[in-house]
Amino acid sequence: SEDWGQYEAVNRKFAQATLEELESSLDPWILVQDYHFALVPRMIKEKRPDSRVALFWHIPWPNPESFGICPWQREILQGMLGADLIGFHVQFHCNNFLETVDRALESRIDWENFTVERDNHLTQVRPFPISIASPFPASFLRPLNGGLKKGLLRELGVQGEYLGVGVDRIDYTKGLRERFLGIERFLEKYPVYQGMFTFVELGAPSRTHIKEYRDLLAQVESEAERINWRFQTKEWKPIVFLKRHHSHKEIAPFYEAADLCLVTSLHDGMNLVAKEFIGAKADDSGVLILSQFTGAARELKDALIVNPYDTEQMAEAIRAALEMDPAEKRARMQRMREGVKERNVYRWAGDLISCLGQIRLSSIPPLGIRAPNGIARPDRLPSG
């Protein structure tokens, strides 16, 4: 209860700051980001019914049974439904959200149009798959040449022929232990790749002030060390675990040089690492191995889709990626690059804002009636 009280207080503080910013604005548009501010939309809407409020939820929405364990589920849902538009990454999360509302609150749900009506207010629920500004800026990329991979491995003190890469916050949702177990099984089943395949994990420590995250880092580090001691030689080891924050400029060469990228999230709203890897592959090389539990798996059909809990399947995916015909690799990567280029982050923002602009506000006072802050509703809405 103390945590919930603090969450309410933080939401109230941000809502109040936003309302102060809006004091002289007519028909303001507000975009609220993620689970940190679930209560903010209603707090704003109650004071400024003339505002257009969108809430974008960056993480997966669970099924009603899972969400039902939360003691404050009604308060969270009521806060979110203060928004005129709620966006998730994929349709599946929209479905789960509406089913949760249907289970927890008295409301009217229109499943055909994906809207919720509650307290005379209508909320639309839509998928907006987020992306990157693809391709990477040219300043991030080194000139492609055959020496890039060997140069990176040499800098890391290992020799090898094949390079795999992973880029993650060190978080329990990212499936790092499962990933390392998949690599271990691959080397067991296909010993010819021992001494040849090295996987580099660029892991950014996250929330290290929380004991569970410190324990997770220690567990993942211990697993990498165990696997390395089992297989490593004087000049090679299978896993290089780089535990620090890396800039995009530092990450890009690994994306460029890698033969494969492993994204093994156990649960992810989208996962932009998958799209960054594709964005960096200007020569259409490389293979993406992607968890079925990411939002990205619903877009990137040319990746090798895996269940990260299935160690055998992950081992086979690594082998398939390294032995795939070069023409098939290029064809798969070209299709994924075209998709990422077409559905980039600017399209995400444009679609979301356009949808917000098309919403007819149901809670605005009639013309000539003053809103609670004394601002009269204008005769027309802003265009665009």
Side-chain angles (χ1 to χ4, degrees):
S1 59
E2 291 84 0
D3 292 340
W4 176 251
Q6 186 69 12
Y7 183 79
E8 284 185 303
V10 169
N11 273 251
R12 197 172 297 112
K13 184 173 185 177
F14 275 83
Q16 184 57 41
T18 305
L19 289 166
E20 290 172 5
E21 185 73 17
L22 302 180
E23 282 182 357
S24 59
S25 301
L26 296 177
D27 293 313
W29 297 26
I30 300 102
L31 174 57
V32 181
Q33 298 274 359
D34 219 3
Y35 63 88
H36 313 79
F37 301 120
L39 309 182
V40 167
R42 181 164 293 277
M43 291 175 174
I44 292 174
K45 202 71 172 179
E46 286 176 346
K47 299 292 186 181
R48 289 296 301 268
D50 62 322
S51 62
R52 292 171 181 270
V53 182
L55 168 64
F56 188 77
W57 205 259
H58 286 266
I59 61 174
W61 191 273
N63 62 41
E65 287 75 18
S66 296
F67 193 71
I69 69 174
C70 179
W72 304 281
Q73 63 169 327
R74 290 176 59 86
E75 290 86 346
I76 290 171
L77 293 171
Q78 287 168 348
M80 295 173 69
L81 290 172
D84 302 293
L85 175 66
I86 298 177
F88 295 95
H89 287 297
V90 296
Q91 185 64 50
F92 179 63
H93 300 154
C94 297
N95 298 348
N96 279 350
F97 178 76
L98 286 191
E99 289 173 2
T100 302
V101 172
D102 195 28
R103 185 80 59 89
L105 297 178
E106 184 178 344
S107 59
R108 181 179 176 182
I109 296 176
D110 182 341
W111 285 95
E112 184 176 352
N113 295 303
F114 266 73
T115 60
V116 180
E117 186 177 350
R118 178 174 169 81
D119 298 332
N120 296 318
H121 179 255
L122 197 69
T123 301
Q124 292 190 11
V125 181
R126 297 283 186 274
F128 300 99
I130 202 166
S131 190
I132 62 170
S134 176
F136 272 11
S139 59
F140 281 5
L141 304 178
R142 301 184 189 180
L144 290 171
N145 59 74
L148 179 56
K149 184 196 305 181
K150 289 191 180 297
L152 289 172
L153 291 172
R154 188 165 52 247
E155 289 173 8
L156 297 172
V158 295
Q159 295 182 7
E161 294 296 322
Y162 302 103
L163 173 65
V165 67
V167 180
D168 306 87
R169 283 186 307 106
I170 300 174
D171 185 284
Y172 61 91
T173 65
K174 301 303 180 182
L176 297 180
R177 181 175 179 273
E178 289 76 8
R179 183 180 307 175
F180 290 172
L181 291 177
I183 293 168
E184 179 182 30
R185 183 60 180 141
F186 163 71
L187 294 172
E188 283 177 345
K189 291 184 73 173
Y190 304 104
V192 67
Y193 287 102
Q194 293 178 24
M196 299 179 66
F197 175 76
T198 295
F199 182 80
V200 177
E201 174 62 38
L202 304 171
S206 176
R207 299 165 184 151
T208 51
H209 59 288
I210 300 174
K211 181 181 182 301
E212 286 82 356
Y213 280 81
R214 292 197 302 273
D215 292 345
L216 173 69
L217 175 58
Q219 291 167 9
V220 173
E221 197 169 12
S222 175
E223 202 73 354
E225 289 178 1
R226 179 187 66 78
I227 294 168
N228 281 336
W229 276 110
R230 180 179 177 187
F231 293 107
Q232 70 185 3
T233 64
K234 184 177 180 180
E235 298 177 333
W236 170 83
K237 61 181 176 180
I239 298 174
V240 177
F241 191 11
L242 303 178
K243 305 175 295 296
R244 66 176 180 85
H245 292 273
H246 295 82
S247 69
H248 283 294
K249 228 170 189 177
E250 292 172 309
I251 293 169
F254 286 94
Y255 283 149
E256 283 184 85
D259 297 285
L260 61 88
C261 177
L262 272 168
V263 176
T264 56
S265 307
L266 308 181
H267 214 176
D268 236 337
M270 177 54 68
N271 192 289
L272 293 182
V273 168
K275 296 187 176 183
E276 287 179 354
F277 175 69
I278 293 166
K281 284 298 188 181
D283 64 345
D284 297 325
S285 67
V287 177
L288 173 63
I289 300 175
L290 182 59
S291 166
Q292 69 186 62
F293 302 118
T294 62
R298 289 167 169 80
E299 290 188 272
L300 304 175
K301 302 296 186 183
D302 283 290
L304 299 183
I305 307 298
V306 297
N307 177 351
Y309 295 98
D310 189 337
T311 304
E312 294 291 332
Q313 187 185 44
M314 278 216 288
E316 287 300 322
I318 295 171
R319 181 199 61 79
L322 295 180
E323 297 179 3
M324 187 180 293
D325 180 76
E328 183 181 352
K329 285 185 186 180
R330 284 194 298 273
R332 285 173 175 264
M333 186 58 69
Q334 285 169 358
R335 287 191 293 264
M336 289 192 292
R337 280 177 62 82
E338 189 60 35
V340 171
K341 182 179 178 181
E342 175 68 20
R343 294 183 293 276
N344 58 32
V345 72
Y346 306 110
R347 180 167 177 176
W348 169 81
D351 287 349
L352 194 154
I353 294 169
S354 295
C355 189
L356 181 63
Q358 293 166 9
I359 290 175
R360 182 176 181 180
L361 300 186
S362 57
S363 56
I364 293 182
L367 291 176
I369 303 297
R370 294 193 170 267
N373 63 354
I375 297 177
R377 180 181 184 271
D379 289 341
R380 62 178 63 193
L381 297 172
S383 61

